Structures are given as C-alpha cells and as structure tokens.
C-alpha cells in the first residue's frame, strides 16, 4: 500500500485523502456560517438555560441550607422541651414519692391509733368481764358455800347479812392464799 501511494505521488496524481482546494474552501465557509449562526442564535439560548439551571441549583442549595438551619433550630427546641418535660416528670415522681411516704406514715399512725383504741377497748372489756365473772363467781360460790355450810351445821343460813359476811371472809382468805402462792 505504501508503494502505491508513493507511486501516485510521483506520477502527480491527486491524493484521495486530500480534498481539492475549492471543496476545502466551500466546506470551510459553510462551517464558519453554521458556527456563526450557532454562536449568534443557539449559544445564547444554551447559556441562558445553563444560567437558569445554575441559579435554580444555587437557590435550591440556599433553600436547603435555610431548611436545614430551621430544622436544626426546631430540633433544639424539641430537645429543650423534652429536657423540660423530663425534668417536670422527675419533679412529679419526687412529689408523688414524698406524698406516698407521707400517706404511708399517716396511715401507719392512724393504724397505730386504732390498734391502741382496740387494745384499750379490749382491756376495758376484759376488765369488765373479769369483774362480772368475779361478781358472778362470788355469788355462786357464796350460795354453794352457804348451802354446804347449812347442810354441815344443820341449820339454815338464809340471813343475807350473815351470808354476805361469811362469803366475803371466805373469799378474802382464798385471795390471800392465792397471792401467797404467787
């Protein structure tokens, strides 16, 4: 192939790779006209669209930064409100604990008071029952003792005054013996 091109060049024939001068000039003129048309008409529209896009992008970035700043301030407000709510909750828990403790102490004191009242009432009832039982026992023992003494002596001891004295003396002796044993 190289040989063929060299031969053609030596013969003076035109090279197929190099166009003729008139075509080259016409092609160059057509290129300049199309380029000039594109530069005058199409390039300003392209630049205008590119400028609008750049401005929109820059505006979007500014809006995004403003939104991010606003979101950051709202977040800090929420964090402050949350911290305040937590503080309030802790205060309420503390108050509830204190109130619960006071209520428990109050209920214990009330329970202690009621317990003491019940114990006092129980002691009073026991004392009253003891006195009633002692009185009933005195009467029964006195009656039995009088009947027994009457059977032993052989005469009736129906005299009430004598009966009471005898019973009191007898029970007094029993109480003295019981205390001496203790």
């Amino acid at each position: 192939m190289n040989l063929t091109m060299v031969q053609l060049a030596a013969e003076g024939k035109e090279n197929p790779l190099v166009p003729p001068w008139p075509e080259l000039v016409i092609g160059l003129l057509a290129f300049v006209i199309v380029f000039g048309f594109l530069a005058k008409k199409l390039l300003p529209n392209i630049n205008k669209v590119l400028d609008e896009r750049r401005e929109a992008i820059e505006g979007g970035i500014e809006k995004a930064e403003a939104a991010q700043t606003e979101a950051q301030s709202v977040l800090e407000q929420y964090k402050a409100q949350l911290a305040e709510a937590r503080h309030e909750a802790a205060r309420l828990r503390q108050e509830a604990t204190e109130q619960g403790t006071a209520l428990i102490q109050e209920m214990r004191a009330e329970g202690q008071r009621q317990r003491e009242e019940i114990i006092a009432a129980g002691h009073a009832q026991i004392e009253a029952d003891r006195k009633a039982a002692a009185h009933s026992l005195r009467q029964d023992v006195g009656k039995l003792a009088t009947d027994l003494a009457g059977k032993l002596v052989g005469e009736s001891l129906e005299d009430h005054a004598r009966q009471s004295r005898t019973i009191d003396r007898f029970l007094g002796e029993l109480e003295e013996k019981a205390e001496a044993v203790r």
Side-chain angles (χ1 to χ4, degrees):
M1 273 236 176
N2 280 338
L3 187 58
T4 317
M5 288 177 105
V6 174
Q7 283 176 353
L8 287 175
E11 288 178 6
K13 288 190 179 179
E14 269 186 40
N15 186 356
L17 296 177
V18 178
W21 283 104
E23 284 181 15
L24 190 61
V25 171
I26 291 174
L28 188 59
L29 274 176
F31 177 76
V32 169
I33 291 171
V34 169
F35 184 77
F37 173 75
L38 290 176
K40 290 282 185 180
K41 295 289 182 180
L42 198 56
L43 193 59
N45 288 338
I46 292 173
N47 284 337
K48 181 179 170 185
V49 169
L50 289 176
D51 287 341
E52 287 174 359
R53 281 191 179 175
R54 185 173 69 268
E55 288 175 7
I57 291 171
E58 288 174 358
I61 290 173
E62 290 173 2
K63 287 178 185 177
E65 288 173 354
Q68 185 176 7
T69 304
E70 183 179 346
Q72 187 67 28
S73 69
V74 168
L75 177 64
E76 291 187 17
Q77 287 176 353
Y78 285 146
K79 285 182 180 178
Q81 288 175 352
L82 182 61
E84 184 178 329
R86 285 182 179 157
H87 179 70
E88 182 69 17
R91 185 185 64 79
L92 289 174
R93 274 193 307 270
Q94 181 66 28
E95 284 180 10
T97 302
E98 291 170 0
Q99 288 176 354
T101 303
L103 185 61
I104 288 171
Q105 289 174 351
E106 191 177 299
M107 295 302 279
R108 280 185 182 160
E110 178 67 21
Q112 185 71 19
R113 185 189 61 78
Q114 287 178 357
R115 184 180 134 248
E116 289 171 2
E117 285 178 3
I118 291 169
I119 289 172
H123 284 300
Q125 183 66 37
I126 290 171
E127 185 63 26
D129 288 347
R130 188 188 65 77
K131 285 181 181 179
H135 180 67
S136 175
L137 185 62
R138 267 181 186 246
Q139 287 178 352
D140 290 345
V141 168
K143 175 91 169 123
L144 289 173
T146 305
D147 290 344
L148 183 62
K151 287 182 183 178
L152 287 177
V153 173
E155 60 180 79
S156 176
L157 299 174
E158 292 296 324
D159 183 16
H160 191 343
R162 189 185 303 162
Q163 189 179 17
S164 289
R165 282 192 311 268
T166 306
I167 292 170
D168 287 339
R169 187 173 22 99
F170 177 69
L171 290 176
E173 289 174 6
L174 282 177
E175 285 177 0
E176 286 175 12
K177 286 181 184 178
E179 286 180 15
V181 173
R182 286 187 194 172

